[in-house]
Amino acid sequence: MADADKLATYRQQLAQVEAAIAQDPDNQEWTKLRNDLLEVIDLTSELAQVKASTGSLKDDELKTYSVGEKCQAIYEQDGQWYNAKIVALAEDGYFVTFLGYGNTAQVDFNEVRLYQRPDTSTWGPGTEVNAVHSSDGRWYDGIAVEVKPTSVMVKFVGENEAAEVDIDFVRLKISTVEKKRKIEEEKEEDVAPKDPKVPKALEIRPDDSEDTIEKKKRKLKMFKRQEKKQKEEQVGEGRRSSWQSFSRKNKAVVKTKNFHDPNWDPTRDHGELAARQQMEKYTTYLVREGA
């Protein structure tokens, strides 16, 4: 879906939410959903501007990709480039599958660029890796035996023979310590308050030295970046479920998508309106049957 279409959809959803808020101004869930939609509209607009400035290639510079060809494509959720493979052609772009992740998405022509081989400059025989096993397509621990231009010979844990794995399906192994650290961070994020305050240890005091102040400032920047990342992740997960919940609870409000609907009036009771429309249908049916 093109950015213009996405913006139109988001703005349409925003109109529906604002109409519902007019009926129930104190509904915190809908207010949060409105703020989320405003935020995603701004982010989508900014991303569209970035694409326009960085992806504006001349017609003779655009490369045509074939099905099965490797490339790099922009992942919609974070706007970053990832290695992918063309799996189908679309009218205004391609369908790609992101290598190593498995998810498929439709991207525009200007959201595809040349494939870039993963950096394996630090890899060598004995490097601990995670790789996809051909038997079930799942990730397993292993040891790199040989690194080739387009593949890696991997000896999976518990197997005697090395297997050749496409280089896009091999990653450096995340150590056990790193896994534990991530688990602990996730637990802390789950119990952290929604609007965390600056830790007292990072508060700048009048008697702090210049060196101490600089250290606190650096740590404070890291703290804010972590909180921003956490907020973005929470918003991304909650945005879809919030909209689905809103749609289920307020089916009558969906009529705002048709701005020419003569029956739509945000000030009227939607339950009463729906009942009246149903009664009109039933009356019409009785008249037709009695004729």
Side-chain angles (χ1 to χ4, degrees):
M1 184 182 294
D3 290 329
D5 295 333
K6 294 174 188 174
L7 284 171
T9 300
Y10 295 148
R11 286 170 180 149
Q12 200 173 77
Q13 292 174 350
L14 180 61
Q16 297 176 35
V17 175
E18 288 180 337
I21 291 176
Q23 290 290 310
D24 187 4
D26 298 327
N27 192 307
Q28 298 297 320
E29 181 182 357
W30 295 353
T31 300
K32 181 180 182 301
L33 181 56
R34 178 183 61 184
N35 295 335
D36 288 344
L37 283 169
L38 288 171
E39 182 179 353
V40 78
I41 287 172
D42 290 339
L43 291 173
T44 304
S45 299
E46 292 177 3
L47 181 60
Q49 294 175 0
V50 171
K51 290 178 183 177
S53 61
T54 60
S56 56
L57 298 176
K58 297 179 181 179
D59 291 339
D60 56 355
E61 293 177 336
L62 286 173
K63 172 179 170 55
T64 301
Y65 294 86
S66 304
V67 175
E69 188 174 358
K70 287 186 176 182
C71 63
Q72 280 200 332
I74 289 180
Y75 182 51
E76 179 183 18
Q77 298 299 323
D78 59 10
Q80 301 298 316
W81 293 92
Y82 295 92
N83 282 342
K85 178 182 287 188
I86 305 293
V87 294
L89 305 180
E91 183 177 353
D92 55 352
Y94 304 96
F95 286 95
V96 301
T97 296
F98 292 96
L99 300 176
Y101 300 94
N103 50 316
T104 300
Q106 183 177 356
V107 295
D108 297 337
F109 288 115
N110 63 342
E111 294 177 329
V112 179
R113 68 183 186 186
L114 292 175
Y115 168 83
Q116 293 185 14
R117 180 184 182 277
D119 182 15
T120 59
S121 58
T122 60
W123 299 12
T127 299
E128 292 185 329
V129 297
N130 295 122
V132 174
H133 202 288
S134 60
S135 62
D136 57 7
R138 300 178 62 180
W139 292 86
Y140 293 96
D141 293 343
I143 301 293
V145 177
E146 180 183 1
V147 180
K148 300 180 179 181
T150 60
S151 62
V152 180
M153 297 299 297
V154 178
K155 184 177 180 181
F156 289 97
V157 174
E159 296 187 359
N160 297 324
E161 299 294 331
E164 187 170 8
V165 183
D166 188 292
I167 199 166
D168 286 292
F169 294 88
V170 183
R171 303 172 185 163
L172 288 176
K173 179 182 177 181
I174 300 177
S175 65
T176 304
V177 176
E178 184 70 6
K179 288 181 180 178
K180 289 183 178 180
R181 183 184 66 80
K182 287 192 173 184
I183 292 174
E184 292 299 324
E185 287 180 352
E186 291 174 356
K187 289 181 179 179
E188 292 176 359
E189 290 176 357
D190 290 339
V191 299
K194 293 183 178 179
D195 297 314
K197 297 180 179 179
V198 176
K200 290 186 177 181
L202 298 182
E203 293 180 354
I204 297 177
R205 304 179 59 178
D207 57 343
D208 284 340
S209 63
E210 293 183 0
D211 183 57
T212 301
I213 292 175
E214 287 300 320
K215 288 181 179 179
K216 286 185 176 181
K217 285 183 177 180
R218 288 196 297 269
K219 291 181 179 180
L220 184 59
K221 287 182 179 179
M222 294 177 61
F223 174 80
K224 289 183 177 179
R225 284 199 297 268
Q226 291 175 351
E227 294 301 331
K228 182 179 179 181
K229 181 179 179 182
Q230 177 184 348
K231 181 180 178 181
E232 291 173 348
E233 291 176 350
Q234 291 174 346
V235 169
E237 290 293 330
R239 195 171 280 145
R240 181 184 296 273
S241 58
S242 296
W243 174 251
Q244 292 175 343
S245 175
F246 173 81
S247 299
R248 287 195 301 269
K249 294 179 181 177
N250 305 275
K251 292 182 179 179
V253 181
V254 177
K255 286 185 175 290
T256 53
K257 68 181 180 180
N258 182 2
F259 294 100
H260 302 289
D261 187 347
N263 295 320
W264 172 248
D265 181 356
T267 64
R268 296 176 64 181
D269 180 81
H270 303 300
E272 178 186 354
L273 177 61
R276 185 173 301 174
Q277 291 174 337
Q278 187 65 28
M279 182 62 69
E280 290 174 356
K281 291 181 181 179
Y282 182 69
T283 303
T284 301
Y285 171 79
L286 290 178
V287 172
R288 186 173 63 248
E289 289 296 317

